Amino acid sequence: MSLQRAITDTDELQISPVFAQRIDEDVIPRGRLPESPMPAAVAAGIIRSRLLLDGRAALNLATFCTTAAEPELEAVYAETAAINLMNREEYPASSEIEQDCINALAGLWHDDDGRFVGCSTSGSSEAAMLAGLAMLRRWRERGGSGVPNLVFGTHVHVCWPKFCNFWDVEARTVPLAPNRTTLDPTLAAEAVDGNTIGVVGVLGSTQDGRYDPIERIAAKLDALADSGGPDVPLHVDAASGGFFAPFVDTDIRWDFELPRVVSINASGHKFGLVYPGAGWCLWRDPQYLPQSLVFDCNVLGGHHPTFTLNFSRPASGVIAQYYQFLRNGMAGFRMIAQRCQDTARHIAAGVRKLDLLELVADGEDLPVVTFRMRDPEQAGFTVYHLSEALKADGWHVPAYSLPPDLEHVDVIRVVCRQGFTVDLASRFLRSLATHIERLSAHPFPLPEVRNALTFKD
C-alpha cells in the first residue's frame, strides 16, 4: 500500500484532443470521480497516456519481480482474474491447482515425509507474516512468557521488521560487518534466549543477493539445543532463492533437508516467473502451524480452513504459477536460472574492468551484482550521481546504503532476471562506462529526494 499525497499544480487533468473530441470535454477532475461516465476506450486511452512516463520494464534492473510473460500466460491471467480463490465451493478446480502447487514446492524443497502443510499468499511479505505468527503463537502455547523476540540480520527484507512492529515482537538484529553481508551463525545463536520465537535466515538478500549460510546457522542452533539451551525453530526467507537455488545451487543444503528448518516462504512473482503478487508459505509439519491460527469459514458454502491475512483474492497468481510449473518443468527452470546467472557473471566481469568501481557481490548466489565506488571523493561523484545519470539511457538501477554496521557503504544493485539478456547487459555496461567517463569530467548536483510517504493535512 502506498500512503502518499499527490503533488500537482492543478485539480484538473488535461485530455489529449484525440480523447476530448469523443466526450466533448478537454479536462476531467484530477483525484476526484468525474460527474459522468465516459466510453471504455476513452478511459483506457487516458490511462495509457498517463502511464507513458513510467519506465520500460526491460530496462528496470532494480526490481526482483517478473516483468515479462508469454502471451499464453497473459491470457491465463485475463481468464482467471475474476476467480475468487477463497470461494472453494464454486471454484474447486482452482483450489485443487493451489494444492498441486504446494505439493510441487514441498518436493522441490525436500520434504520427504508428506506431513507438510502450506498455503498461497499475496506475496512473500504476507507469507513472512504468517510464518512469524506461527512461530509466535507456538512459542506462547508452549509456555512462553515475557517479551518475545525474533533473531535475524539487519539485511533482511523490511517485512520482518514490520512483523515485529505489528505484533510487538522484539527485533533482535545481528549487524553486518566488513566483508560480511550475511547472518553470522555464531552471533545468531548467541542472540537466542528463552524468549526467542525463532531465527530467520535469508536465501538471497535484497541488499546484494547473497545467501545466508543456512546449514551453518542450523548447526549452531542444533548445538545450542543439544547443550541444554533454547530449542528454537529456523525459518528460511527464500523469497528469491526458493525458486532459484534448487535449480543451480543444488550443492547447498538450506531447506527441509535440514531438520532445524520448520518453515519456508517464497515469492512466486520473483524467480517463480509470475506477475505480482503471488507467494507461498510451507511448514514441514502441522505441529509448526498452531491450529488456533486456522479459521473455519463456511460463509461461501461448505467448511474450509483458512490461514491468510487476506480473505478474497484472485486465483490468477496461483494458476499462473501452475502454468509455469507445467511450461518449464525442472529443465526449463534450470535453463532460465542458469541464463540469469550467466548474465550476472557478464555484468560482474564488466564491472571489474572499470577502475573506479569495486564489486560487493558478484552474482554467484542470486544473479544480483552489487558494486560501489572505490574512492568517491577522488572520482568527484558518487553512486547516486551514477544511478541518476543512467536514467538518461533509460536504465533504472537503485543506489542505496547498506544496513548497519555497513551504512557507510553506498552501492548500486543490478538484478539479472528473465528478459535481461547478455546483449542488454553489454549495452548496460557501455552506458555505465560512458557515464563514468562523463561524470569524471562533469559531475552534477543531485535532485532533491521526494519522500513518498506523506499524509493529507
Side-chain angles (χ1 to χ4, degrees):
M1 178 178 65
S2 177
L3 303 176
Q4 61 184 30
R5 176 182 176 182
I7 300 176
T8 61
D9 296 327
T10 175
D11 290 331
E12 295 181 328
L13 181 67
Q14 189 78 30
I15 303 177
S16 168
V18 71
F19 303 128
Q21 64 185 353
R22 296 184 59 185
I23 60 174
D24 198 30
E25 293 182 45
D26 59 359
V27 295
I28 59 172
R30 187 170 192 164
R32 292 182 289 116
L33 290 173
E35 291 297 326
S36 304
M38 65 180 66
V42 174
I46 291 172
I47 289 173
R48 292 189 185 102
S49 68
R50 294 198 66 182
L51 294 177
L52 287 174
L53 290 179
D54 277 356
R56 297 178 61 186
L59 305 185
N60 181 359
L61 309 184
T63 183
F64 285 79
C65 293
T66 298
T67 55
E70 295 170 315
E72 292 81 1
L73 184 55
E74 299 271 7
V76 166
Y77 271 101
E79 292 163 8
T80 60
I83 297 176
N84 181 2
L85 190 61
M86 192 57 224
N87 194 341
R88 302 183 188 280
E89 286 292 307
E90 185 177 356
Y91 305 111
S94 297
S95 181
E96 191 173 281
I97 285 174
E98 178 188 30
Q99 188 60 55
D100 284 346
C101 289
I102 292 169
N103 294 349
L105 287 172
L108 188 66
W109 297 340
H110 294 106
D111 184 287
D112 58 3
D113 62 9
R115 290 183 53 78
F116 61 88
V117 291
C119 63
S120 65
T121 64
S122 59
S124 249
S125 290
E126 183 188 5
M129 296 287 171
L130 298 180
L133 280 171
M135 288 187 283
L136 176 60
R137 181 63 58 86
R138 186 167 182 265
W139 173 80
R140 283 179 174 158
E141 291 183 353
R142 298 178 76 186
S145 60
V147 179
N149 67 75
L150 183 64
V151 175
F152 48 76
T154 56
H155 61 303
V156 297
H157 190 274
V158 68
C159 65
W160 291 106
K162 275 185 179 181
F163 164 78
C164 292
N165 182 290
F166 292 169
W167 276 279
D168 294 325
V169 174
E170 176 193 349
R172 191 160 289 182
T173 56
V174 177
L176 306 182
N179 300 316
R180 179 179 58 76
T181 58
T182 57
L183 180 61
D184 181 90
T186 300
L187 295 179
E190 290 175 352
V192 168
D193 61 22
N195 288 333
T196 300
I197 65 173
V199 175
V200 177
V202 179
L203 194 74
S205 165
T206 55
Q207 300 289 336
D208 62 2
R210 293 194 182 277
Y211 299 153
D212 282 348
I214 304 296
E215 185 173 13
R216 289 170 49 211
I217 295 169
K220 287 289 185 181
L221 296 178
D222 288 343
L224 180 64
D226 291 343
S227 66
D231 186 359
V232 299
L234 175 58
H235 173 82
V236 178
D237 180 353
S240 297
F243 280 95
F244 190 83
F247 304 108
V248 294
D249 296 314
T250 55
D251 57 329
I252 297 176
R253 299 177 73 235
W254 63 273
D255 53 19
F256 292 130
E257 191 176 5
L258 302 172
R260 181 62 51 180
V261 174
V262 304
S263 52
I264 300 171
N265 70 275
S267 290
H269 58 233
K270 294 179 181 175
F271 291 99
L273 308 179
V274 303
Y275 286 148
W280 304 92
C281 194
L282 271 66
W283 292 263
R284 71 178 310 129
D285 189 283
Q287 67 172 302
Y288 298 110
L289 174 55
Q291 278 299 304
S292 58
L293 290 173
V294 181
F295 287 79
D296 176 74
C297 174
N298 67 354
V299 297
L300 297 174
H303 289 266
H304 302 289
T306 175
F307 179 45
T308 55
L309 299 182
N310 296 325
F311 188 74
S312 295
R313 59 190 173 90
S316 50
V318 167
I319 298 173
Q321 189 73 79
Y322 185 60
Y323 168 91
Q324 291 292 26
F325 284 168
L326 294 176
R327 174 73 175 93
N328 293 297
M330 293 291 292
F333 271 101
R334 188 178 301 114
M335 177 185 68
I336 292 168
Q338 189 60 62
R339 286 182 176 174
C340 290
Q341 195 159 68
D342 290 344
T343 302
R345 288 168 175 162
H346 183 70
I347 291 284
V351 170
R352 286 190 184 98
K353 295 176 182 177
L354 299 171
D355 294 337
L356 295 182
L357 303 182
E358 178 183 7
L359 281 173
V360 173
D362 57 7
E364 289 301 321
D365 288 344
L366 287 183
V368 173
V369 179
T370 312
F371 54 88
R372 61 185 291 187
M373 300 289 300
R374 289 187 185 276
D375 189 340
E377 289 192 16
Q378 183 178 1
F381 63 95
T382 68
V383 291
Y384 299 97
H385 292 93
L386 190 52
S387 173
E388 192 69 20
L390 285 164
K391 291 179 183 177
D393 294 335
W395 300 107
H396 179 54
V397 289
Y400 54 92
S401 58
L402 293 180
D405 285 329
L406 296 178
E407 62 268 28
H408 60 283
V409 179
D410 299 311
V411 300
I412 279 180
R413 185 191 68 221
V414 175
V415 180
C416 302
R417 62 193 189 281
Q418 182 179 223
F420 184 52
T421 63
V422 170
D423 176 62
L424 280 174
S426 295
R427 297 184 187 189
F428 169 75
L429 289 170
R430 288 198 291 272
S431 288
L432 186 64
T434 297
H435 287 293
I436 286 176
E437 182 178 358
R438 183 174 67 82
L439 286 170
S440 296
H442 303 287
F444 59 86
L446 285 172
E448 187 174 325
V449 177
R450 178 185 296 172
N451 184 359
L453 190 63
T454 57
F455 297 87
K456 188 173 180 64
D457 296 334

